[in-house]
Amino acid sequence: MNEQVARNVVLVRAIESADANHEVLSDDDRKYASRSAKELAAWQAADSKTAVTQHHFLQQRSEQILKRLGERSPAFAAFHKRRLGLGGVWLALPFLALIAGAVIDRIADPHRVDLLSAPFLLIIGWNLLVYLGMLVWAMVPGKRHGWAGPNLLRRLSVGKAALPRKLPAPMAAGLTAFMSEWAALSEPLTRARLSRTIHLAAACFALGAIASLYARGLLNQYVVGWESTFLDGRQVHTLLSWLFMPAMNAFPFLQGFSLAEVELLRHGRTLTAASGARWVHLYGATLLLLVVLPRLVLAGFAAWRARRLARNFPLDLDQPYYRKLADSIGAGTPALLRVLPYSYTLDEARDRGLWAIAASALGAQARVQLRPTSAYGVEPKEALHDAGLDEPGVTVTAVLFSLAATPEKENHGAFLDYLSKRVKRGVAVLVDESPLVERIGDQGNAARVAERSALWRQFCSFHGTSATFVNLLQPDKYPIELGAGLSLPELR
């Protein structure tokens, strides 16, 4: 799945998730899109003599829905057609760097080749420092996200956060959610593109300086020399010997220089064109070898990585939304919902309700893996020592709480935090209201249930998750729509 297809799929998911009351996309719209996409994916698979894949189905379905939404709302059509992010930056930055490099040495005397030229020494020194920093950063253990902040990456990914006017409320909410989600999903791709652009800009900056140095040498005779308050001839000779050593070793035709020549060039005592050309070649070759070529190699690697990510966008299709759609066409393996009850034992009726909720959230073929109940007050590490939290094949890991219980940070919170840190894909939270409703009866229970639900919602938000309320005795009471409920962070 390439970048454009992934963008369409994520956009459709955001709109469907926000449109819980089916105001924008009716049931018929969704069923028609799925049916048409299934047929188109089957024809596409028949032409290529392959099996129907989830990628083909999602691509066709998203195109059908976006086309319909665009016909109904011109404002949405304009949003969908516009290019996200700040695409002009990728070309403008290297071009501006080339121009800046061409004028940087104008800070010094434009008719003089200064052996201790501050602009050229800064260019070389800064790039060597960058290489060293990259090497050290690569050896730092743990997660590394680079120097670019989230705000910069968001602007580069989605551009301005402004939405078109005259959009239905569910569609506007969906577009807002899409931009936030797309910024997070495309972060690796945006970082690769930004790295490519920065390295290319650095190479262009040095190329501009080289081009300016040679271009002015065609029309002017350079004065060669150096001046320093604190350095003598021997120290300058040592510095230049180390500086130009890589270029003289890589390009044998470059002429070296002696201590006597360096002493003679103090205060610009020679005016010969041959002497000026020698130092122009030395500086040009050094910039080429130490700045331009390494930066182009780094830019090429970043461009390769960006191209690979754009062609194979890392979208986690094991999310409940995608798994349920895949189940509708028989693609992929059945989803598996792993449930970890805390201080709550399920009877046979509630167990059947849990299977019905799994089918509603993850597709008719979904399976449930119900783990033994973790006792109240037991340390999470001890209660889950044999749970195998990194078990492959698990689509969703959900913690099951009873609404009749009062959430406690040191018990329920500790259990939830322990799982959140150890389950890579994230943890969903199911809160069953049936024990509380059963206890207080049908009359006057609405206020009590609402009050306790608000408490659990606030509790889960504090622990970085969101609660999905269910009734295991009446699984159809709170239907989990396609794309809603059991939301998990995307894998990145």
Side-chain angles (χ1 to χ4, degrees):
M1 184 181 297
N2 61 36
E3 180 186 5
Q4 182 59 47
V5 173
R7 179 197 170 189
N8 291 342
V9 170
V10 174
L11 178 58
V12 169
R13 182 177 78 163
I15 294 174
E16 284 193 276
S17 300
D19 186 27
N21 296 325
H22 296 197
E23 299 175 25
V24 175
L25 287 169
S26 65
D27 288 331
D28 291 339
D29 291 334
R30 303 183 191 210
K31 292 178 181 178
Y32 174 80
S34 295
R35 184 170 60 252
S36 300
K38 184 177 180 179
E39 295 175 356
L40 291 172
W43 292 341
Q44 188 175 7
D47 290 340
S48 59
K49 298 181 180 180
T50 58
V52 177
T53 65
Q54 187 179 6
H55 288 190
H56 293 156
F57 172 73
L58 291 175
Q59 177 182 357
Q60 298 294 342
R61 186 176 185 274
S62 63
E63 290 177 357
Q64 294 285 329
I65 290 178
L66 292 175
K67 180 180 178 181
R68 177 155 298 192
L69 291 176
E71 293 172 349
R72 295 174 179 173
S73 173
F76 175 81
F79 173 87
H80 179 238
K81 291 179 181 178
R82 85 180 190 188
R83 184 171 182 175
L84 291 180
L86 305 176
V89 171
W90 312 128
L91 293 177
L93 193 59
F95 177 75
L96 292 176
L98 182 68
I99 300 301
V103 301
I104 188 65
D105 64 331
R106 294 284 180 170
I107 298 174
D109 187 350
H111 300 287
R112 174 186 174 95
V113 176
D114 192 346
L115 301 189
L116 298 179
S117 173
F120 292 136
L121 291 177
L122 284 175
I123 293 174
I124 296 170
W126 169 251
N127 281 272
L128 293 178
L129 186 62
V130 168
Y131 304 151
L132 178 61
M134 293 178 63
L135 181 61
V136 172
W137 192 252
M139 295 187 293
V140 175
K143 295 182 179 180
R144 298 180 296 275
H145 297 298
W147 55 270
N151 291 333
L152 173 61
L153 294 174
R154 178 184 175 86
R155 289 297 300 272
L156 292 174
S157 298
V158 300
K160 295 182 179 180
L163 293 178
R165 298 180 180 180
K166 299 180 181 180
L167 287 177
M171 187 179 291
L175 294 185
T176 301
F178 160 73
M179 288 191 290
S180 177
E181 185 178 6
W182 184 252
L185 289 174
S186 61
E187 182 178 310
L189 176 58
T190 305
R191 286 188 182 278
R193 285 173 172 164
L194 182 59
S195 178
R196 174 201 62 193
T197 303
I198 293 298
H199 289 308
L200 188 59
C204 289
F205 187 79
L207 278 174
I210 296 172
S212 174
L213 191 64
Y214 277 95
R216 287 189 294 108
L218 292 175
L219 304 175
N220 297 281
Q221 181 174 328
Y222 284 124
V223 175
V224 183
W226 62 275
E227 296 178 357
S228 176
T229 302
F230 302 104
L231 300 178
D232 59 24
R234 185 175 299 277
Q235 292 170 325
V236 172
H237 177 264
T238 302
L239 173 63
L240 295 178
S241 297
W242 282 99
L243 178 64
F244 297 136
M245 181 186 300
M248 290 190 293
N249 289 332
F251 306 105
F253 60 86
L254 293 177
Q255 297 180 6
F257 49 90
S258 63
L259 175 59
E261 289 177 298
V262 172
E263 290 281 9
L264 183 64
L265 292 174
R266 191 163 192 171
H267 305 299
R269 295 176 183 172
T270 180
L271 303 176
T272 64
S275 177
R278 178 203 299 182
W279 297 101
V280 168
H281 295 327
L282 285 172
Y283 261 114
T286 299
L287 287 171
L288 179 67
L289 194 64
L290 299 184
V291 180
V292 177
L293 293 181
R295 288 289 194 167
L296 288 179
V297 171
L298 292 172
F301 176 77
W304 169 82
R305 186 168 179 269
R307 192 179 303 110
R308 181 172 60 87
L309 289 172
R311 291 178 178 175
N312 299 283
F313 194 87
L315 187 62
D316 178 22
L317 297 182
D318 278 337
Q319 289 284 313
Y321 171 88
Y322 303 119
R323 292 300 295 265
K324 189 171 182 178
L325 285 175
D327 184 76
S328 67
I329 61 170
T333 57
L336 175 61
L337 172 64
R338 175 172 57 186
V339 180
L340 303 168
Y342 183 80
S343 186
Y344 182 32
T345 302
L346 274 64
D347 55 22
E348 185 177 350
R350 289 182 171 85
D351 182 72
R352 289 196 299 269
L354 190 61
W355 279 81
I357 287 174
S360 175
L362 302 173
Q365 303 301 318
R367 298 178 292 115
V368 175
Q369 181 189 91
L370 183 62
R371 298 287 306 174
T373 300
S374 299
Y376 176 83
V378 177
E379 288 292 329
K381 184 177 181 180
E382 179 181 348
L384 301 171
H385 70 279
D386 61 341
L389 298 179
D390 57 349
E391 180 181 351
V394 175
T395 307
V396 177
T397 297
V399 182
L400 178 61
F401 295 118
S402 169
L403 190 64
T406 302
E408 300 173 354
K409 179 181 179 181
E410 61 275 10
N411 292 305
H412 303 82
F415 187 78
L416 189 55
D417 290 341
Y418 181 86
L419 285 171
S420 298
K421 293 177 181 178
R422 288 163 177 79
V423 179
K424 184 179 180 181
R425 184 167 286 141
V427 177
V429 177
L430 297 176
V431 182
D432 180 21
E433 72 167 21
S434 63
L436 181 61
V437 174
E438 199 173 45
R439 178 191 301 175
I440 63 179
D442 294 333
Q443 295 183 352
N445 64 358
R448 181 77 178 276
V449 170
E451 180 183 354
R452 187 61 63 85
S453 297
L455 182 63
W456 272 99
R457 189 175 289 109
Q458 183 180 11
F459 172 81
C460 290
S461 177
F462 177 79
H463 289 275
T465 60
S466 59
T468 301
F469 295 94
V470 297
N471 189 314
L472 295 184
L473 294 181
Q474 303 176 48
D476 295 333
K477 184 177 181 180
Y478 302 109
I480 300 179
E481 295 281 349
L482 181 65
L486 299 181
S487 58
L488 299 172
E490 294 284 356
L491 295 180
R492 299 196 297 275

